[in-house]
Amino acid sequence: MKVLLFGATGMVGQSVLRECLFAPDVSRITSVSRSRLADVTDPRLEQIVHADMAQPEPIAGQLRGHDACFFCLGVSSVGMDEPTYRHLTYGLTMAIARMLARDTPAMSFAYVSGAGTDSSEQGSRMWARVKGKTENDLLKLPFSRVFLFRPGVIQPLHAVRSKTRLYQAAYVLSRPLLSTMKRLFPNGIVTSEEFGRAMLNAARHEPKSAVLEVADIVRLGRPAAATD
């Protein structure tokens, strides 16, 4: 399987990249990000550094021919007005997705959304409306399959870190609590390992539902995930 990964420097992208590197059926990983990955070397990994993700056409030729795209780019809506958040979330995602659907429609496309996303696009929460619009329009593109991942809390494992200092500090402080909550409610919290594995298993097995909520992600992220 040839994998295209956007956002490998972020916490979610790191999780997906780690599982791809461990996967014997992944023959090629093309990472596209705004900065180069440090301390990651593997003969299967090709890195493309591209500053303006909203203008992907200059790198279009390098992105063709992949079997699956894992789209892990994203920003927090905290302190951001709606036009800016919409541009960075909806506009950027759709610019890349439309180009990929045009050039390689046979690939599957997995998008990292979020728990509580508003598919009606009419709710009171700005981020949820924008994510809902993004999901809805991705489903209209002619990919072989589109998968919409809606994680809630992600428990980072294996030295996976958030680039946002505030978020990373919160993860460090809450580590004991997250471990306890995961033991008590195993289907309520997704580990970074489960998340990365779930994305790969979606591309491998194509679950019936396009929308994957927290419990679905946990189930799909098990080592021997079924094709449900």
Side-chain angles (χ1 to χ4, degrees):
M1 178 166 53
K2 297 176 182 177
V3 167
L4 181 60
L5 173 60
F6 283 85
T9 59
M11 190 181 80
V12 174
Q14 291 171 46
S15 308
V16 177
L17 175 61
R18 181 181 184 275
E19 297 308 312
C20 287
L21 292 172
F22 278 117
D25 60 337
V26 174
S27 59
R28 175 180 164 193
I29 308 159
T30 303
S31 167
V32 186
S33 56
R34 295 184 181 91
S35 57
R36 192 166 183 83
L37 296 166
D39 303 321
V40 182
T41 57
D42 190 286
R44 296 170 297 165
L45 176 63
E46 176 188 356
Q47 296 195 48
I48 299 173
V49 178
H50 186 64
D52 189 358
M53 292 293 181
Q55 301 294 330
E57 287 294 339
I59 58 171
Q62 297 170 269
L63 307 185
R64 298 188 180 107
H66 294 81
D67 301 300
C69 175
F70 301 140
F71 197 86
C72 304
L73 284 175
V75 295
S76 169
S77 64
V78 176
M80 198 174 292
D81 59 69
E82 184 162 352
T84 302
Y85 182 72
R86 183 182 177 90
H87 169 70
L88 294 175
T89 300
Y90 176 82
L92 184 151
T93 302
M94 294 307 299
I96 294 170
R98 287 180 179 128
M99 183 188 72
L100 294 177
R102 178 197 70 200
D103 293 345
T104 314
M107 74 163 50
S108 63
F109 188 94
Y111 174 67
V112 180
S113 188
T117 291
D118 178 15
S119 298
S120 75
E121 307 176 32
Q122 302 298 317
S124 60
R125 293 173 299 171
M126 178 271 286
W127 74 266
R129 293 195 307 271
V130 174
K131 285 281 192 179
K133 171 68 172 172
T134 307
E135 286 189 355
N136 291 340
D137 285 3
L138 285 174
L139 289 171
K140 298 173 185 176
L141 295 178
F143 288 112
S144 66
R145 290 294 302 274
V146 172
F147 301 108
L148 308 169
F149 282 73
R150 294 181 175 182
V153 176
I154 297 178
Q155 179 188 9
L157 302 177
H158 310 301
V160 167
R161 297 174 58 86
S162 172
K163 292 195 301 182
T164 305
R165 291 184 180 180
L166 180 61
Y167 289 175
Q168 180 58 29
Y171 281 123
V172 170
L173 292 173
S174 63
R175 185 174 297 148
L177 176 61
L178 287 177
S179 297
T180 300
M181 294 297 290
K182 180 62 175 177
R183 287 195 299 271
L184 293 175
F185 307 101
N187 292 327
I189 293 178
V190 181
T191 68
S192 58
E193 183 177 55
E194 288 170 335
F195 192 90
R197 192 183 294 133
M199 276 207 151
L200 274 171
N201 282 337
R204 289 169 174 142
H205 305 312
E206 298 194 356
K208 294 177 182 178
S209 176
V211 177
L212 299 164
E213 303 286 358
V214 177
D216 303 313
I217 298 169
V218 172
R219 182 170 59 252
L220 195 58
R222 291 171 184 153
T227 58
D228 53 2

